[in-house]
Amino acid sequence: MNKPTSEIQSRLLECFNGATRLTQSSLTTFLSCEELYRLKYVERMRPMAENLNLSMGTAFHLGIETQLPHRASESIKEQMGPAWNQQDREAAAVASATVEAMVAGALRMWSDWPERQEIEFTLPLMNPATGRRSRKHVFAGKLDGLWSDRVGEWKTASRLDRTYIDRLELDFQVSAYLEAAGIMLGKPVSELSVTYRIVKKPSIKQRKTEALGEYVTRLQKDYQERQDFYFAELTLTRSDEQMERWRHEAWALHQRILDIENGGMTIRNTRSCTQFGRCAFLDLCCGTVGPDAYRVIETSHPELGA
């Protein structure tokens, strides 16, 4: 008989006090640009103003977890403060309507959502050569959903094409979450899978002469009428060989990050400066502004409380 998930989760949290948490977000940042990782996760620096787009993923997950589309919408509105200008408020209103339509569409598309959602986990990082775990780093995250034999992962994406799907066959996060689920459920990873549900962001925009209410109605109708366009579900698995490769990669990343935390030089990737919009730290790297142009947050991973 498998041990209860709660008992296994308690075991995962043992002896991790004081260890730095590495997450999928922080590792993605590290692989994008080592200096960006240092600024965000070692120095804990953030721009003075947050990007509104960053809140839509969190809002979407809240809507799925509660099974209430309006909660996703409300979570966007709750982030609005008195300092935001009219343009920001209008953008937030559009984002609020968009994420509500996305959640409503996903709930219509799929009815078999797991009872257990937003499950935090912490994994040791093990040296494949010696079997010893790192005392400096752990890998932490949240499973969007967990069934008895599979992990649920919900994603929003601007584009869904062959390259997006091909990448998932090698995706670090998929392997890490299967490793965590295997320990929680007491099953070999080869017996588990990931149900990967993807919801595309709208392909239609609000017209200049269109009122927000009219746009919301048109947006909701688009999600209802074009389900095959907006929604996709994939089943992902990992072999024993793939998991062994993942463990070696996880250890190698830990070693490189540890070197940076100990004062080692970072390698800057200048492609990342403008690849996905202008990097918020570009002026700092160029010397145009100093560190006082940014704020410092209390924890490196606010979403995990650490």
Side-chain angles (χ1 to χ4, degrees):
M1 177 180 292
N2 295 332
K3 293 185 178 182
T5 301
S6 58
E7 179 183 342
I8 302 297
Q9 283 178 278
S10 297
R11 284 174 50 197
L12 289 178
L13 294 172
E14 291 177 357
C15 304
F16 291 153
N17 290 337
T20 298
R21 295 188 182 187
L22 305 180
T23 66
Q24 181 64 27
S25 295
S26 66
L27 290 181
T28 298
T29 300
F30 177 80
L31 293 172
S32 171
C33 176
E34 293 182 4
E35 178 65 2
L36 179 59
Y37 173 88
R38 186 187 71 81
L39 293 171
K40 287 188 66 175
Y41 295 102
V42 179
E43 302 298 335
R44 305 195 311 277
M45 296 170 65
R46 295 293 189 275
M48 290 297 185
E50 289 289 353
N51 186 339
L52 179 64
N53 291 330
L54 296 178
S55 64
M56 288 190 65
T58 301
F60 177 81
H61 280 80
L62 178 61
I64 295 299
E65 181 184 8
T66 61
Q67 301 283 283
L68 298 171
H70 74 270
R71 281 297 293 122
S73 175
E74 290 170 355
S75 72
I76 297 286
K77 298 174 183 177
E78 288 166 0
Q79 297 179 49
M80 297 299 297
W84 290 45
N85 57 38
Q86 181 62 27
Q87 183 178 359
D88 288 333
R89 284 192 285 271
E90 290 174 357
V94 172
S96 177
T98 299
V99 75
E100 182 169 346
M102 294 170 72
V103 171
L107 295 179
R108 283 193 302 269
M109 184 71 182
W110 298 293
S111 59
D112 60 328
W113 299 94
E115 292 185 6
R116 291 176 288 178
Q117 294 194 45
E118 300 298 317
I119 304 169
E120 290 193 20
F121 68 85
T122 305
L123 283 178
L125 292 173
M126 311 296 292
N127 185 334
T130 65
R132 294 182 178 178
R133 68 174 182 85
S134 168
R135 288 183 291 181
K136 297 293 186 179
H137 291 143
V138 293
F139 184 83
K142 285 184 181 181
L143 304 181
D144 290 344
L146 184 64
W147 288 275
S148 62
D149 60 348
R150 56 195 168 115
V151 177
E153 182 67 14
W154 334 132
K155 292 291 187 184
T156 61
S158 299
R159 185 178 65 180
L160 177 60
D161 53 19
R162 188 72 246 174
T163 58
Y164 185 104
I165 295 173
D166 288 344
R167 172 185 64 78
L168 294 177
E169 296 300 326
L170 303 174
D171 190 73
F172 188 97
Q173 183 181 29
V174 171
S175 302
Y177 286 12
L178 281 171
E179 181 89 338
I183 297 174
M184 289 181 183
L185 298 173
K187 295 181 178 181
V189 171
S190 58
E191 295 181 8
L192 304 175
S193 63
V194 175
T195 295
Y196 210 91
R197 290 175 176 170
I198 308 164
V199 180
K200 289 178 64 175
K201 296 176 182 178
S203 62
I204 61 173
K205 303 294 183 182
Q206 185 177 9
R207 298 165 182 153
K208 291 184 178 181
T209 58
E210 188 176 34
L212 178 60
E214 295 173 335
Y215 170 64
V216 170
T217 300
R218 187 164 61 90
L219 182 63
Q220 292 172 339
K221 182 179 180 181
D222 201 40
Y223 270 97
Q224 292 174 6
E225 295 180 348
R226 295 201 293 163
Q227 288 189 336
D228 290 342
F229 176 80
Y230 281 113
F231 305 99
E233 180 176 291
L234 307 172
T235 299
L236 304 169
T237 59
R238 290 292 187 266
S239 65
D240 292 338
E241 291 76 15
Q242 287 175 309
M243 291 305 301
E244 186 64 21
R245 170 68 187 248
W246 171 81
R247 295 179 187 110
H248 279 81
E249 290 179 344
W251 185 254
L253 283 169
H254 144 72
Q255 289 181 305
R256 180 70 186 120
I257 291 173
L258 185 60
D259 178 65
I260 291 172
E261 290 175 347
N262 289 333
M265 180 63 68
T266 58
I267 299 174
R268 294 182 293 188
N269 177 13
T270 55
R271 287 191 61 191
S272 293
C273 295
T274 55
Q275 189 172 21
F276 300 106
R278 195 175 193 276
C279 176
F281 294 96
L282 180 56
D283 290 334
L284 179 63
C285 290
C286 292
T288 307
V289 300
D292 58 351
Y294 300 84
R295 59 194 175 94
V296 177
I297 61 175
E298 293 184 4
T299 63
S300 299
H301 303 283
E303 73 280 8
L304 297 176

